[in-house]
Amino acid sequence: MHAEKESVLTGIHFINGDTACCEGLLAAGAKFAAGYPITPSTEVVERFAQRAPTVGGLFIQMEDELAASITLQGMVWAGQKSFTVTSGPGYSLMMEHIGYAAMTETPCVFVDVQRGGPSTGLPTLPAQGDMMQARFGSHGDYSTISLVPNSPQECFDLSVTAMNLAEKFRVPVMFMMDECVGHMTEKVVIPPAEEIEVQPRRRTSKPPDEYLAYEVGEDLVPEMAHAGEGYGLYITGLTHDKKGYPLMNPKQQRELIPRLFEKISRAADELTIVEADGVEGADVVVVSYGITSRVAMRAVHLAREKGLKVGSLRLICVWPFPEKLIRQLAPKVKALIMPELNMGQVVIELERCSGGKTNVVSLPHPGGTVHDPLVILEAIERGAQ
Amino acid sequence: MSTLIEPTALTNPVERVLRNDRIPTIWCPGCGIGTTVNSFAYALMASGADLKKTAIVSGIGCSGRVSGYVQLDSFHTTHGRAIPFATGLKLANPELTVVVYSGDGDLTSIGGNHLIHAARRNMDLLVVCVNNMIYAMTGGQAAATTPGAATSTTTPYGSFEPELNIPQLVDAAGACYVARWTAFHVKQLEKSMTEALKKKGFRFIEVLSPCPTLYGRRNGYADGLAQMKEYKELAKVKNGAPTYEVAITTGKPIIVGKFVDRDRPDYLTLMRSQLGAHYHEIAEAGVGCGDDSEGKEGCCSC
Amino acid sequence: MARGSVAVTTERCKGCGFCVEFCPTHVLALSSAFNRKGYHPPHMIEPDKCSGCNLCGMYCPDFAIFGFKTAETKPAAIPAATEAPAPSEAMEAKEV
Ligand SMILES: Cc1ncc(C[n+]2csc(CCOP(=O)(O)OP(=O)(O)O)c2C)c(N)n1
Ligand code: SF4
Ligand code: SF4
Ligand code: SF4
Ligand SMILES: [Mg+2]
C-alpha cells in the first residue's frame, strides 16, 4: 500500500528535522496525535497542529506527557495511526505508557528529540543520553525498536519507516532524534505519494465470534480489531491470555513475555539497518549513530587522508542492536570506536557483541555540543596501531 | 436445614451486558462496586446506546476492574490515565460512546489533572467515580477522599488533610453534568446514569460505595451492609445543591443528587465550528509550505 | 398470590445480605445452607409477598439474584436458559 496523496507534501523543501519528521509521520498515515510542548521537539507538534485538520485529523495538546502518551493509544485503538513527540523530561514521564503499548501491542511512534540531561539539563542543546532509556526505560521486560536519523531527509524517510515497523510488529517504535538533527535545516526531498510504501494496520479478517485478540500466527504478531467494530475487545496491561483476559500466573507470563521479544528477535535481519562505508578490509571501524555519525564521518575522511584503513558503520536501527553484524565484524578489525553524546551507553552493547575479539573504544561526551572530530581522529590513529 | 433455591431457567437481565465468563468477580463479599454495575447495566440498556459502539475505560484499582466485567469494548489502562485514553478513543472515533469507570484514588489523585482538564475541555465522556474513600486495591491506604476522622494503613492516627469535594472540583472545572449517589441509591443512580449517557459533554457521577474489607472494618463498620445502612440513614437528596456545600463530613448528612446540568459545546463541536471558518484558509495556503519551486531544485520557505 | 418471584444463582452469592436488607417486603433471608464457597445464599421466607420488583437484583453486587414478575412472565418471553457460567480459570491475584 502507498501513502495517501493528500497527506504527502511532495516536492523539494528546505526544512528542519522536526518539520521533516512531522511530514514523514503524516505521509505514513498518522492523522491524529497528542503531545505536550518541550524544546527541542515543539516544531513537530506545531507543524502537526497546522497540518492535521487539512487531512481530516487533529492534534490535541494534553495537560502533560503522561496524558499525551496514552491519549495517542486511545487514538490507535479507535482505528487511527498516531504518535507523540517529546524530549528528555517528557520522555521520562512517558515511560509507563511505552510499557503499556508494549504489553498491549499497540502500534505507535514515540519521537524523542534528545537534549542534554539529566533532569532539565540543556533544553536547547544536543545529547544522546536517552538511548538506554529507549531500550529499557519502562519497568518490566519488553523489546522494542529504536531508529536514529542523522539528517532532516532521514527524519522524513525514517519516520515513515518507524510508523511502518510499529504497524508491522505492533510495538511502540522509538524515533530517537537529537537537538542538532531536529533543528538542522537542509534540503528534504519528499517523493510522490505513490512512491512511499505504507504498512497498513494489520486488521483481523475474522468475525467477532472467531476472533481472539492475542492469537498469533507464524510471525507471532496478533491481528487487530478496533473499538466500535463489535469485537467486544478486552485490552489490559495485566498479563493476559489470548482473549486479552487477565491471567496472572507464571505460566501465562512465560507464554506472553518471551513472545513479545521473539516477534522482534525473529526479524533481526530485517531490523539490521545500518550504513556501512569502507568497512570491508578496514583496520578500524567507527561505529556511531545520529548526529554523531556526521562528526565521525569527518574524522574518518581525515584519517583516510592520512592513509589509514578506516571504515564507518552508522547504526540507523540501534535497537534491536545489530548483534550478528558486530559478531562478524569484531574479529576482523583492530578496533571499534564508538563516539556518543552520552557517557557510554550503546558502547556497552557493542562491547558485549564484540565478545573480546577486538579493542572496543568508547568516546563519551556529556552533550551540549558534538565531538571534536580531532578527538575521534586521534582514537582512530591509536586504534590502528 | 433450609434448602437452596436452585438456578432457574431465567437469566438475570444484567447478563445481557456483562461478560458472564468473568463472573464471579474479584470483589469481596459486601463490596459495593458490583451494585453500582447493576445500575450501570440497566442504564446502558435504558439509554438506547449502541453497545457495539460503546467503550468502557478504567484505570487501576478494585473499581478499575469494572471495565473487564462489562461486555463492551473494554480498556483497562494504567493507574490514573483512563481519562486521557478515553479522550484519544473519542477524538479518533467520535461515533463512540465512551465511559470511564474507575476509583476515587485513580480519578482524583493520580489522575486528578486529567479529570480537571477533561472537564475544562468538555470532552464528551461519561465518568463514573466509585468513591470508597480509600485506596482499596493496594491494601487500604489513605486517599484524597478519606475522611479526616477515619484511619487507614498509612494514616494510623487519622489524616491531617481535609478530604476532597469532588463534585465541587469538576463543577469548577466546567463539567456539564455532576451528580452524586451512593450504592444504596440503585434506582436514582440508574436514572442518573441513563440521563448522563444521553447527554453530550463531560458528565461526572460520583458513587459512594462500601469497601468493607479495607475501609469499613478499620473504621467501625461490621460489613458492607453496615455501610449501606449508613448511606440510607445519612443521605439527603438535594438536587441542584451548590457543589461547595456538598463536601462529605463525618457524621453529617451525605448530600446526594444531581448538582449540575448545564449545556455548553463540547470539544469536538467547538473544534468543528472553529475549524469550519478557517478550513479553506488552511487548505488554500498550501498547508503551510510556500514552495513555489514546483518540485524543481530549490528552497521553499516553509 | 405472589406477583413475583426471584431466581438465585447460588454459586455466585457471597452472602452479603444486601438483598435481604433492602427487599421492601422482607421476602428473603439468608439460608442456613452453604454454597460451595461457604456462603449462605438467600432464600424466600415470604414468597407470597414478592412483587418481582427486582430491587434485590439491583442491589446484588455479585449478580446472583434477581426478581421477576410472574404474572407477565410467560415462558416464551423468558430469555434462554443459561448455566451459571463456570468461574474463569484466571488465577485472580490482585494487582497492587
Ligand atoms: C503508577 C502506579 N502507582 C501506584 C499503583 C498502585 N495502585 C494500584 S490501585 C491503587 C489505588 C486505587 O485506588 P482507587 O482508585 O480508589 O481504587 P479502589 O481500589 O479503591 O477501587 C494504587 C495506588 C499503580 N498500579 N500504578
Ligand atoms: S478491597 Fe474493598 S473495594 Fe476492593 S473488592 Fe474488597 S471491598 Fe471492594
Ligand atoms: S423481587 Fe422485590 S419483592 Fe421480590 S424478593 Fe426481590 S426485592 Fe423482594
Ligand atoms: S445480594 Fe447477592 S451476594 Fe448478597 S446475599 Fe443477596 S444474593 Fe447473595
Ligand atoms: Mg478507592
Side-chain angles (χ1 to χ4, degrees):
Chain A
M1 197 176 127
H2 58 70
E4 283 176 35
K5 206 167 164 52
E6 57 273 26
S7 291
V8 181
L9 212 59
T10 301
I12 299 168
H13 308 270
F14 190 58
I15 50 180
N16 68 20
D18 282 355
T19 307
C21 167
C22 174
E23 290 303 331
L25 292 163
L26 274 159
K31 295 180 176 165
F32 288 76
Y36 188 83
I38 185 168
T39 306
S41 74
T42 43
E43 292 87 339
V44 186
V45 293
E46 286 168 355
R47 175 79 171 192
F48 193 79
Q50 186 191 12
R51 290 276 275 126
T54 69
V55 295
L58 67 83
F59 169 72
I60 183 164
Q61 183 171 315
M62 295 302 291
E63 48 277 7
D64 57 31
E65 287 88 347
L66 287 154
S69 56
I70 193 121
T71 300
L72 83 94
Q73 298 188 46
M75 291 168 167
V76 172
W77 284 101
Q80 291 293 336
K81 291 188 179 182
S82 184
F83 67 93
T84 190
V85 185
T86 190
S87 185
Y91 196 49
S92 289
L93 290 184
M94 290 181 177
M95 285 301 136
E96 188 181 8
H97 293 146
I98 289 172
Y100 187 76
M103 189 62 146
T104 55
E105 301 180 69
T106 303
C108 54
V109 174
F110 285 78
V111 180
D112 176 14
V113 188
Q114 296 171 85
R115 65 191 223 183
S119 191
T120 313
L122 302 168
T124 63
L125 298 172
Q128 296 176 316
D130 307 348
M131 293 307 297
M132 278 295 180
Q133 193 179 21
R135 172 63 191 86
F136 292 111
S138 194
H139 58 278
D141 219 356
Y142 60 97
S143 184
T144 178
I145 298 170
S146 298
L147 303 182
V148 191
N150 80 344
S151 68
Q153 180 67 54
E154 215 173 52
C155 285
F156 177 85
D157 298 337
L158 212 53
S159 59
V160 177
T161 310
M163 190 59 87
N164 286 348
L165 292 175
E167 293 290 343
K168 181 165 183 190
F169 294 98
R170 281 191 61 183
V171 286
V173 171
M174 308 299 130
F175 197 61
M176 304 303 288
M177 295 167 57
D178 61 70
E179 187 277 332
C180 280
V181 168
H183 284 162
M184 170 190 295
T185 299
E186 285 185 343
K187 182 173 109 176
V188 174
V189 181
I190 299 183
E194 340 45 283
E195 289 170 25
I196 300 173
E197 267 308 307
V198 163
Q199 165 79 46
R201 176 76 29 99
R202 299 178 54 150
R203 299 177 68 154
T204 184
S205 52
K206 290 186 177 163
D209 53 342
E210 288 169 28
Y211 175 70
L212 293 173
Y214 290 100
E215 188 175 47
V216 293
E218 257 310 284
D219 66 358
L220 305 181
V221 182
E223 287 176 336
M224 240 175 133
H226 300 134
E229 294 177 347
Y231 283 83
L233 293 171
Y234 186 159
I235 304 303
T236 176
L238 291 168
T239 296
H240 44 268
D241 63 14
K242 285 192 171 63
K243 277 188 185 170
Y245 284 8
L247 183 51
M248 292 170 282
N249 61 39
K251 183 168 166 282
Q252 192 54 32
Q253 181 80 351
R254 178 164 292 281
E255 195 151 303
L256 176 59
I257 307 306
R259 176 175 68 74
L260 298 183
F261 278 78
E262 212 184 322
K263 67 177 177 177
I264 292 176
S265 61
R266 269 192 191 188
D269 288 342
E270 177 186 349
L271 293 171
T272 298
I273 311 175
V274 297
E275 185 180 69
D277 180 331
V279 168
E280 263 328 295
D283 285 333
V284 174
V285 172
V286 181
V287 185
S288 61
Y289 53 87
I291 187 61
T292 308
S293 66
R294 295 177 70 147
V295 186
M297 220 40 224
R298 168 96 183 121
V300 168
H301 287 311
L302 291 173
R304 283 177 185 162
E305 279 168 21
K306 293 191 168 193
L308 296 173
K309 286 203 288 182
V310 51
S312 162
L313 184 69
R314 176 164 77 92
L315 310 182
I316 296 171
C317 179
V318 170
W319 308 120
F321 193 75
E323 175 156 359
K324 201 162 109 192
L325 186 76
I326 298 298
R327 286 202 190 285
Q328 287 163 355
L329 178 62
K332 300 183 193 158
V333 294
K334 289 184 185 165
L336 291 173
I337 294 171
M338 186 164 235
E340 311 175 74
L341 291 183
N342 55 52
M343 296 309 286
Q345 293 192 5
V346 180
V347 72
I348 297 169
E349 193 65 356
L350 185 67
E351 197 159 342
R352 182 184 72 83
C353 296
S354 301
K357 301 274 166 51
T358 188
N359 183 21
V360 175
V361 181
S362 171
L363 295 179
H365 188 305
T369 179
V370 294
H371 287 75
D372 179 345
L374 296 181
V375 172
I376 304 174
L377 176 64
E378 200 186 303
I380 295 171
E381 286 172 333
R382 250 187 284 124
Q385 279 165 17
Chain B
M1 201 187 112
S2 57
T3 49
L4 300 179
I5 305 167
E6 285 311 315
T8 71
L10 307 171
T11 41
N12 191 336
V14 294
E15 289 188 16
R16 273 174 241 163
V17 292
L18 296 182
R19 290 180 190 268
N20 298 303
D21 57 347
R22 298 292 299 163
I23 298 170
T25 67
I26 64 161
W27 298 316
C28 307
C31 174
I33 299 171
T35 302
T36 74
V37 172
N38 284 316
S39 298
F40 181 59
Y42 283 107
L44 273 178
M45 293 187 270
S47 72
D50 179 352
L51 300 189
K52 287 196 160 61
K53 296 215 177 298
T54 305
I56 180 164
V57 187
S58 289
I60 304 296
C62 297
S63 314
R65 286 306 197 88
V66 168
S67 61
Y69 294 117
V70 187
Q71 185 61 53
L72 300 168
D73 285 312
S74 307
F75 295 95
H76 183 232
T77 64
T78 56
H79 191 27
R81 318 302 167 196
I83 287 178
F85 186 97
T87 297
L89 275 180
K90 181 71 198 180
L91 292 180
N93 183 358
E95 272 188 24
L96 295 175
T97 298
V98 185
V99 180
V100 170
Y101 214 120
S102 215
D104 52 322
D106 188 84
L107 288 166
T108 74
S109 287
I110 189 167
N113 200 22
H114 313 311
L115 180 65
I116 293 170
H117 290 282
R120 175 182 65 83
R121 292 185 181 108
N122 204 17
M123 198 52 69
D124 189 24
L125 304 172
L126 166 60
V127 177
V128 179
C129 175
V130 179
N131 182 2
N132 51 18
M133 303 186 167
I134 200 80
Y135 282 0
M137 178 66 87
T138 36
Q141 297 81 14
T145 44
T146 309
T151 66
S152 75
T153 55
T154 49
T155 52
Y157 310 110
S159 140
F160 317 128
E161 18 181 300
E163 56 271 34
L164 183 66
N165 178 348
I166 312 172
Q168 186 185 14
L169 176 77
V170 288
D171 177 15
C176 69
Y177 185 98
V178 184
R180 175 198 282 148
W181 300 102
T182 78
F184 167 74
H185 298 87
V186 285
K187 286 283 180 192
Q188 296 91 326
L189 180 59
E190 179 200 329
K191 186 168 162 267
S192 190
M193 285 171 157
T194 308
E195 185 174 71
L197 275 167
K198 290 179 177 169
K199 198 174 159 78
K200 215 171 162 57
F202 189 84
R203 297 143 280 155
F204 185 88
I205 301 174
E206 178 187 9
V207 195
L208 299 185
S209 168
C211 166
T213 310
L214 292 161
Y215 179 80
R217 258 198 320 213
R218 230 193 140 88
N219 288 291
Y221 302 94
D223 51 18
L225 186 56
Q227 275 186 274
M228 290 286 274
K229 286 185 192 164
E230 190 181 88
Y231 294 150
K232 183 179 173 184
E233 188 187 316
L234 292 182
K236 236 177 126 178
V237 180
K238 266 197 189 174
N239 290 318
T243 53
Y244 57 81
E245 285 178 3
V246 305
I248 294 168
T249 315
T250 313
K252 294 262 170 65
I254 300 169
I255 311 298
V256 298
K258 178 169 79 175
F259 306 137
V260 175
D261 192 349
R262 58 167 85 97
D263 288 304
R264 66 183 182 100
D266 73 303
Y267 182 93
L268 280 171
T269 305
L270 262 186
M271 185 195 88
R272 286 194 195 107
S273 72
Q274 282 181 219
L275 277 186
H278 292 288
Y279 189 85
H280 291 290
E281 286 166 41
I282 301 167
E284 276 161 26
V287 243
C289 176
D291 184 0
D292 52 10
S293 59
E294 287 169 352
K296 294 188 293 288
E297 188 83 14
C299 301
C300 69
S301 54
C302 58
Chain C
M1 180 58 200
R3 286 174 295 139
S5 186
V6 297
V8 185
T9 309
T10 50
E11 291 310 324
R12 285 184 180 177
C13 174
K14 294 178 186 166
C16 68
F18 289 7
C19 55
V20 174
E21 176 71 25
F22 299 121
C23 167
T25 46
H26 310 289
V27 169
L28 303 166
L30 294 186
S31 82
S32 58
F34 293 102
N35 66 11
R36 253 176 289 162
K37 289 235 169 82
Y39 299 115
H40 297 287
H43 66 158
M44 295 173 104
I45 49 167
E46 300 269 14
D48 287 350
K49 291 191 186 161
C50 180
S51 67
C53 70
N54 190 36
L55 261 184
C56 50
M58 292 292 288
Y59 277 105
C60 177
D62 290 287
F63 321 113
I65 189 171
F66 65 98
F68 55 91
K69 301 220 187 277
T70 41
E72 310 166 5
T73 318
K74 305 219 168 52
I78 296 167
T82 48
E83 291 258 300
S88 123
E89 58 178 332
M91 188 184 105
E92 286 284 13
K94 285 193 172 188
E95 79 270 26
V96 287

